Amino acid sequence: YSTERFSLIGDAKVGVERYGDIELDSDDPALAEPKASDFDNESLDLTLDFAYQWELHRVSLEGRYWLDSTLNTQFTDTGLGGLREIEGATERETISIAPAWNWQINQRQELDVQAGWRQVEFESDLYVDYDYSNLVFNWAYFLNERMRLQLQPMFSRYENKANFAVTSDTFGLEGGLIWSVTEKWQLNLLAGSTRVYTEYGGGGFFVVNPDTGLIEFIEIDDQDANGFTGSAALTFDDEYHGFSFNISSRVTPSGDGVLRQTDEARATYYWKPFERIRLDFDARIGQSDTTEERARDARDYSEAAVRFGYQFAQQWWLSARYRYRTQEFERNGLGEGTGNLFNVGISYRLPEEVL
């Protein structure tokens, strides 16, 4: 629903995934062959977005409830299972609220203020529940119709819900530009620095040494760390095909119970040779590590996927996808692994007159 000044938009997505066959190729004889049904999962994504515009200001509020499988959410975060055991699909539940305010200061200057709160809970004991809140200011100065400069101060707080309580406060500043080179090409550049202050409750925590199998107590004092953050993106988009290439370095909340520094490069491409047919390609490579110097846990990962989609009726789509994944943990005993997935799917969207 929308008027000249007001809009209220809701969106609901429901997904069901069923696995017919799982094959395991492992050097570990103790690793049991999983059942295909262990990977079956459902997803639910509900959003409600309110916005109001007047004169030089715009305010908005978005609420979201998202239920999905860790198979889909944790690959670029914690990894999947540490490779010492195979876990099927388990639920990750996310509730978030995000208010925002935009102020058109004058013809050349604009200010965006965005806040957010997120609560994440896991069904599996392999992951750690957490709360995450953030506040971002984005000041933009328009040099001309195609180019603007940006300055982004930000603050965030991460709090896990484990026995080894961790609270991390992050302060950051980034600057850069957004350049619409042509109507179809755009270049985004941002670079800056962050400082992370981390407090540990209880003075430490117990871990299992992967080499000896013995339980050890790791004593960790409160600490702070500096890091580089930034991103560069080049995009092209027209009626029949589009391309994007992005590299980024970010401090992100994690289901590991701590903040992680994630460096990633990603490329996407789509092609619409006919009105009802679309081909998509998506590839990424990255490394994720904790921000704590004394508790490093680096992991390399890569992923490539190709998808074919066909709209066979007004509201119906048929798709087929192949995806390849690989991950390698640098700590001894955690190992490396690869995965191949082929699936077919069918989707339906309600007509606009119903929505």
Side-chain angles (χ1 to χ4, degrees):
Y1 173 78
S2 64
T3 65
E4 184 178 349
R5 293 182 177 272
F6 171 81
S7 68
L8 182 63
I9 301 174
D11 187 53
K13 298 178 182 177
V14 179
V16 178
E17 291 186 348
R18 293 292 181 263
Y19 285 74
D21 184 45
I22 297 290
E23 294 184 4
L24 174 66
D25 183 10
S26 173
D27 296 331
D28 186 355
L31 206 56
E33 183 85 23
K35 298 179 181 179
S37 59
D38 293 341
F39 292 81
D40 295 344
N41 65 89
E42 297 81 33
S43 62
L44 176 65
D45 192 354
L46 305 175
T47 61
L48 186 63
D49 189 0
F50 155 84
Y52 185 77
Q53 172 91 39
W54 78 99
E55 299 296 333
L56 303 176
H57 302 269
R58 183 180 186 274
V59 293
S60 64
L61 177 65
E62 180 185 86
R64 184 184 186 191
Y65 176 81
W66 180 29
L67 186 67
D68 204 348
S69 165
T70 50
L71 295 175
N72 301 322
T73 65
Q74 297 307 113
F75 179 69
T76 59
D77 176 9
T78 59
L80 299 174
L83 305 180
R84 289 175 297 186
E85 60 180 294
I86 293 180
E87 180 181 67
T90 62
E91 291 182 348
R92 165 176 155 156
E93 182 184 56
T94 304
I95 300 173
S96 63
I97 299 174
W101 169 55
N102 173 270
W103 176 27
Q104 190 72 42
I105 302 173
N106 53 44
Q107 291 184 347
R108 288 188 175 271
Q109 297 185 71
E110 183 178 274
L111 177 66
D112 274 303
V113 181
Q114 300 177 358
W117 171 83
R118 185 190 320 167
Q119 175 183 276
V120 178
E121 295 183 349
F122 296 91
E123 178 187 9
S124 171
D125 294 334
L126 291 177
Y127 309 104
V128 179
D129 301 341
Y130 65 85
D131 290 340
Y132 181 75
S133 54
N134 68 312
L135 180 64
V136 179
F137 295 86
N138 185 359
W139 173 80
Y141 182 82
F142 291 80
L143 298 174
N144 50 53
E145 293 182 354
R146 293 188 177 274
M147 184 181 296
R148 68 179 184 266
L149 303 178
Q150 286 194 162
L151 189 65
Q152 286 186 351
M154 61 82 64
F155 166 78
S156 68
R157 165 162 287 195
Y158 173 89
E159 297 177 286
N160 75 9
K161 299 180 181 180
N163 293 329
F164 58 97
V166 174
T167 301
S168 295
D169 291 330
T170 302
F171 300 86
L173 179 65
E174 291 185 349
L177 65 86
I178 296 179
W179 180 21
S180 298
V181 184
T182 67
E183 293 183 356
K184 297 180 179 181
W185 287 93
Q186 180 168 298
L187 176 66
N188 296 5
L189 297 172
L190 278 175
S193 178
T194 60
R195 189 170 185 86
V196 181
Y197 298 88
T198 302
E199 297 181 358
Y200 298 92
F205 50 89
F206 291 94
V207 298
V208 177
N209 188 313
D211 297 321
T212 65
L214 300 177
I215 297 178
E216 300 178 355
F217 182 78
I218 297 180
E219 184 176 355
I220 300 182
D221 298 326
D222 298 343
Q223 60 181 292
D224 59 85
N226 294 319
F228 168 82
T229 58
S231 63
L234 179 65
T235 60
F236 170 83
D237 187 42
D238 70 7
E239 184 179 357
Y240 299 104
H241 57 101
F243 162 84
S244 71
F245 178 74
N246 180 76
I247 56 175
S248 63
S249 180
R250 290 280 178 254
V251 175
T252 57
S254 170
D256 271 344
V258 293
L259 289 176
R260 298 186 73 88
Q261 177 89 29
T262 301
D263 303 323
E264 183 180 277
R266 183 178 185 180
T268 65
Y269 175 77
Y270 75 84
W271 177 39
K272 297 179 180 178
F274 305 100
E275 183 179 357
R276 292 178 176 268
I277 293 178
R278 173 170 169 145
L279 294 172
D280 288 271
F281 175 78
D282 189 351
R284 73 174 85 199
I285 183 171
Q287 182 181 75
S288 178
D289 199 355
T290 62
T291 58
E292 284 72 28
E293 292 287 346
R294 287 164 287 183
R296 290 300 190 189
D297 185 20
R299 183 180 68 93
D300 299 321
Y301 63 87
S302 60
E303 179 180 48
V306 59
R307 178 182 179 274
F308 169 83
Y310 172 61
Q311 184 181 5
F312 64 90
Q314 186 65 28
Q315 306 299 140
W316 290 90
W317 285 262
L318 180 67
S319 64
R321 183 177 66 136
Y322 169 74
R323 184 189 68 200
Y324 173 80
R325 281 177 168 179
T326 178
Q327 60 177 350
E328 179 178 1
F329 294 82
E330 294 188 6
R331 289 179 57 190
N332 292 333
L334 294 184
E336 61 182 282
T338 60
N340 295 274
L341 171 70
F342 175 77
N343 64 358
V344 294
I346 187 170
S347 60
Y348 172 77
R349 180 179 176 84
L350 288 172
E352 291 186 2
E353 56 267 23
V354 175
L355 299 175

